[in-house]
Amino acid sequence: MPEKAYVLLAILASAEVRSATRSHIRTILWADSDREKANASLRQLIARIHRVEQTSGVVLLSMEGEAVGLTPGCQVDYADFLSALDGDDAKAAIDDRCEALGNLWHGGLLEGLAFGEAALDEWLEARREQMRQRFLEAARRLLEIEPSAGHADAQWRLAGKILDIDPAEEVAYRSMMRICMLRGERGFGLRIFARCKRILETEFGTHPDARTMELAARMRDPGISGGPAAPGSETGARKPAGPGVAGRQVPVVMVLPPTGGNLGEAFAGLASGLAEDITVGLTRFRRFTVVAAQTPDAMALRDRCNEAGLSILDIDYMVSLSLMPAAHGYRLVVRLSDASNAEVLWGANPEFSIATVGDTFDRLIRLTVRTLIDVIDTRQARNAMTLEHAPAYALCVYGRRLLHKSDLQSIRRAMKLFRKALAQVPDYPPALIGMARAVSEESLLRGISEHDLLQQAVELASRAWELDPLDGRSMREKGRANLYMRRYDESLAAFEAAFGLNPDDADILSDYADALAHFGEPQRGLPLSRRAMELNPSQPDDYVWTLGSIHYQLGEYRAALDALRPMDGSPATARLLSACAAKVGDQELARRYSQLVRETYPRFEAESVRGIVPNRNREDTDHLIDGLRLAGLA
């Protein structure tokens, strides 16, 4: 049938006697047409419905003079919906009433339909909003009833459906909070309250009302009967939230308790240990707030692991783990999901046997943690690119990505993002760390002999360290800036502190490896550089450069050429590539790279690297200069 036929059925179904006059129908369906044209359109519409009736053997419409009505056998779900709301049986069990009401809602009236005709679209929107409000009012009455063991589950499901319709509906949050109190899950309930508070502040600039605040206060301290009322709540008014409450800056990640099927206690313990190691790994990166797998919050969520349950929690990402039998041993399943909609963002399912469990888990934990962080960072960086007012965390993530490009334009774009983050959140450690990296990179790229920018990087990194002494990235930046100022002892101490705080941060590992090579200890730096490449398969340019330069320093020229191949053709790498090619005796390849150097740096001389490369030992610099001279870059 044509789309307006369904609107006609809705008009008749909502009428008091299931019928309406033709003139009334015309004023809705063809308000913009003259009477004669509207009459013709209505006759044509009724004729098309009659053809459908003849084909299907079902009679929908009855005609009595000017009136058009529905036949007694014509059932319209919109009418059923309205009738059910009017006929709510207050004597029925609460759980039955909750289930019946929840099953009524399948979306708004003719959802998605729009005709581009003002009167008709306004009529539809008015009925949709009326339908939504009547449903919410009926649900509120049921959700305000104090929960009991007999109907708490049904109230929980109804509250979840309400939040799908209106994420700011406080009655639904309060109902879930009371159910959590009933079950002794106060931490879980407070996380739901945090979600409610953040939604109201972010979307509407308001605070939760007095009843919600009082309930949260009782959850924090069971010994008190009430809590602080929101200002203005005595009259039902809400005080607008102040500026700067547009949500937290750091994402929250929840690691769910692992499941192990029927694999026995030993493997259940193994899965729990794995979850703890992943939690510790995520926490040490200092980029997230992590809710551990064995906390009451996570344990409570395990029984409600569905889209509705996840969406009301004040978390952003969820990590789930499970062990199951496989063809040749066992399989570990790891999933990262968006908590707001249960979308799976990343997954892995490696197999292992009893014999390989130690090596498999050790490697898997490192790769899983790094991949989880990379996926979340990528998602947050995309937010910074698409949202005009991205949170400071997302701005810093995008800024860090730009820093890996190692060109002056990208460095200055990154610096602007870090400044914007600091404008949003003064003294925000990740932004200070990013600024430290950006100013030191600018100093190196521009070849500035004075140490003003490098000293500024040390001061920014030190400030970030004072604010957050558990974030190894600030020590990484302090170590790198000191290295290029030839303050070797200070640099080494900073890198050792950074590595001690987070031995699985690929950026820290790569820079520490580079520093060790400049300290004259490339044999110590090589495994760290390889591990950084393993933990970050995207292979940023600076990782590639570090690995290649370490191989060169060790006299492994073929290995250096292979390592630098991803940057083949880059002017920044051409000097080292030319030296490697000359050392292996490939003069043709050496000339090709030398030519690229000359095209980019016409006045380059091999001896000039003494002022660029911060090697502690003169012989390491002599070794590089010798390779450059052999390549014709004297």
Side-chain angles (χ1 to χ4, degrees):
M1 293 195 300
E3 290 179 342
K4 283 194 174 180
Y6 293 101
V7 182
L8 173 59
L9 294 177
I11 293 171
L12 301 177
S14 60
E16 188 173 347
V17 291
R18 287 169 54 96
S19 71
T21 63
R22 290 174 183 258
S23 62
H24 177 68
I25 296 169
R26 288 195 305 268
T27 60
I28 297 172
L29 295 181
W30 295 284
D32 298 333
S33 302
D34 59 50
R35 180 183 176 87
E36 185 177 345
K37 187 175 180 181
N39 271 329
S41 297
L42 179 55
R43 286 195 299 271
Q44 184 181 14
L45 178 62
I46 292 172
R48 292 184 66 179
I49 294 174
H50 284 329
R51 286 197 292 272
V52 173
E53 291 175 333
Q54 292 167 4
T55 303
S56 64
V58 175
V59 180
L60 304 175
L61 302 180
S62 64
M63 305 293 170
E64 295 183 12
E66 277 294 301
V68 179
L70 297 176
T71 62
C74 179
Q75 184 179 351
V76 181
D77 56 359
Y78 179 44
D80 294 341
F81 177 89
L82 298 175
S83 176
L85 290 179
D86 291 334
D88 178 37
D89 185 1
K91 296 181 180 179
I94 295 172
D95 56 339
D96 291 338
R97 293 167 65 193
C98 287
E99 296 291 357
L101 183 61
N103 291 334
L104 278 179
W105 184 265
H106 298 287
L109 174 63
L110 296 174
E111 200 163 46
L113 274 188
F115 295 88
E117 301 173 35
L120 177 52
D121 288 338
E122 286 175 10
W123 185 89
L124 275 174
E125 282 305 315
R127 294 307 180 277
R128 287 167 182 160
E129 182 59 23
Q130 180 190 60
M131 183 178 176
R132 177 176 172 275
Q133 289 302 328
R134 290 188 61 186
F135 180 77
L136 291 175
E137 288 168 8
R140 290 183 193 116
R141 289 193 293 271
L142 290 172
L143 294 178
E144 289 287 21
I145 297 171
E146 195 66 28
S148 70
H151 56 254
D153 287 345
Q155 283 181 311
W156 182 279
R157 286 189 289 273
L158 180 59
K161 176 156 281 193
I162 295 306
L163 290 175
D164 285 340
I165 299 169
D166 183 359
E169 181 54 64
E170 279 192 70
V171 172
Y173 288 112
R174 280 201 299 273
S175 176
M176 288 179 157
M177 290 164 66
R178 286 196 298 268
I179 292 169
C180 287
M181 287 185 70
L182 175 69
R183 293 170 170 163
E185 298 167 353
R186 293 178 183 272
F188 193 68
L190 286 171
R191 189 162 292 281
I192 293 171
F193 167 71
R195 172 78 174 190
C196 171
K197 185 171 181 288
R198 188 157 67 95
I199 288 288
L200 292 173
E201 290 176 344
T202 303
E203 299 297 328
F204 304 104
T206 65
H207 295 295
D209 72 19
R211 291 170 295 172
T212 310
M213 298 290 283
E214 289 166 3
L215 181 57
R218 291 202 304 275
M219 297 184 85
R220 292 190 186 96
D221 186 352
I224 63 175
S225 60
S233 60
E234 294 82 0
T235 60
R238 283 179 174 165
K239 178 184 177 182
V245 292
R248 57 169 175 266
Q249 297 297 337
V250 180
V252 176
V253 182
M254 177 176 279
V255 182
L256 285 179
T259 58
N262 299 317
L263 298 181
E265 291 184 8
F267 276 92
L270 192 65
S272 295
L274 177 66
E276 291 174 9
D277 287 343
I278 288 175
T279 300
V280 170
L282 288 171
T283 303
R284 292 181 74 172
F285 275 82
R286 307 294 293 160
R287 297 188 190 178
F288 319 110
T289 297
V290 184
V291 181
Q294 302 305 324
T295 62
D297 290 4
M299 298 297 287
L301 178 59
R302 180 168 61 181
D303 298 328
R304 305 174 187 76
C305 187
N306 53 53
E307 185 172 331
L310 290 171
S311 64
I312 52 84
L313 286 177
D314 194 38
I315 60 174
D316 300 289
Y317 300 97
M318 179 192 72
V319 179
S320 60
L321 309 163
S322 60
L323 278 172
M324 57 186 65
H328 303 290
Y330 302 92
R331 175 180 290 112
L332 174 70
V333 180
V334 186
R335 295 286 183 270
L336 173 70
S337 304
D338 183 327
S340 66
N341 57 18
E343 175 190 358
V344 176
L345 305 176
W346 173 79
N349 55 347
E351 293 188 16
F352 63 93
S353 65
I354 295 295
T356 63
V357 66
D359 292 340
T360 299
F361 273 31
D362 182 57
R363 182 171 179 272
L364 181 67
I365 288 166
R366 292 200 307 269
L367 290 177
T368 297
V369 168
R370 185 69 211 189
T371 305
L372 290 171
I373 287 171
D374 189 57
V375 172
I376 295 172
D377 276 358
T378 299
R379 195 174 178 87
Q380 297 296 134
R382 191 179 301 123
N383 290 342
M385 288 185 282
T386 57
L387 298 180
E388 182 181 355
H389 303 292
Y393 173 82
L395 293 170
C396 290
V397 171
Y398 188 32
R400 286 198 298 269
R401 295 296 173 93
L402 288 171
L403 290 176
H404 277 308
K405 294 185 177 182
S406 300
D407 64 84
L408 197 55
Q409 183 181 6
S410 296
I411 299 303
R412 287 177 173 169
R413 286 176 61 202
M415 201 175 295
K416 288 181 180 178
L417 293 174
F418 296 132
R419 288 196 181 108
K420 188 174 180 180
L422 286 169
Q424 289 185 14
V425 186
D427 283 339
Y428 186 43
L432 292 170
I433 292 167
M435 283 292 293
R437 184 68 170 201
V439 296
S440 64
E441 282 289 307
E442 179 168 355
S443 176
L444 299 177
L445 284 171
R446 291 171 58 193
I448 300 174
S449 56
E450 294 82 6
H451 290 166
D452 294 353
L453 288 178
L454 292 173
Q455 184 58 43
Q456 184 183 345
V458 170
E459 291 168 2
L460 286 165
S462 298
R463 177 59 180 153
W465 172 259
E466 291 171 3
L467 293 165
D468 187 356
L470 296 179
D471 193 336
R473 291 173 300 165
S474 55
M475 285 293 98
R476 170 202 177 207
E477 299 310 327
K478 189 173 182 178
R480 192 165 185 270
N482 276 317
L483 171 65
Y484 281 90
M485 289 191 288
R486 271 66 170 182
R487 299 173 182 171
Y488 298 109
D489 292 339
E490 292 96 326
S491 176
L492 184 59
F495 273 115
E496 287 174 348
F499 180 72
L501 283 165
N502 200 336
D504 290 324
D505 187 307
D507 291 343
I508 289 175
L509 289 171
S510 183
D511 275 1
Y512 189 19
D514 183 53
L516 286 170
H518 290 305
F519 297 152
E521 301 182 40
Q523 67 282 356
R524 283 182 61 197
L526 184 59
L528 297 179
S529 179
R530 286 174 172 163
R531 189 171 169 193
M533 299 283 277
E534 178 186 281
L535 287 171
N536 194 348
S538 61
Q539 297 184 347
D541 289 353
D542 49 340
Y543 287 28
V544 173
W545 169 266
T546 296
L547 182 60
S549 62
I550 290 175
H551 278 304
Y552 180 91
Q553 191 174 351
L554 290 169
E556 300 167 353
Y557 308 118
R558 288 285 182 192
L561 284 170
D562 289 341
L564 293 167
R565 203 168 302 280
M567 292 182 68
D568 185 68
S570 167
T573 320
R575 285 174 295 188
L576 184 55
L577 282 166
S578 67
C580 293
K583 285 289 188 179
V584 299
D586 192 335
Q587 292 303 319
E588 182 179 349
L589 186 61
R591 278 194 298 273
R592 180 162 70 85
Y593 288 127
S594 298
Q595 184 178 357
L596 180 58
V597 173
R598 290 296 184 205
E599 289 172 357
T600 310
Y601 311 103
R603 298 181 181 179
F604 175 78
E605 295 179 359
E607 192 64 29
S608 65
V609 301
R610 290 197 190 277
I612 300 172
V613 180
N615 285 331
R616 190 170 200 167
N617 300 327
R618 182 182 178 87
E619 54 268 28
D620 289 331
T621 308
D622 291 342
H623 177 203
L624 176 58
I625 291 173
D626 182 57
L628 294 171
R629 285 174 172 162
L630 286 174
L633 291 171

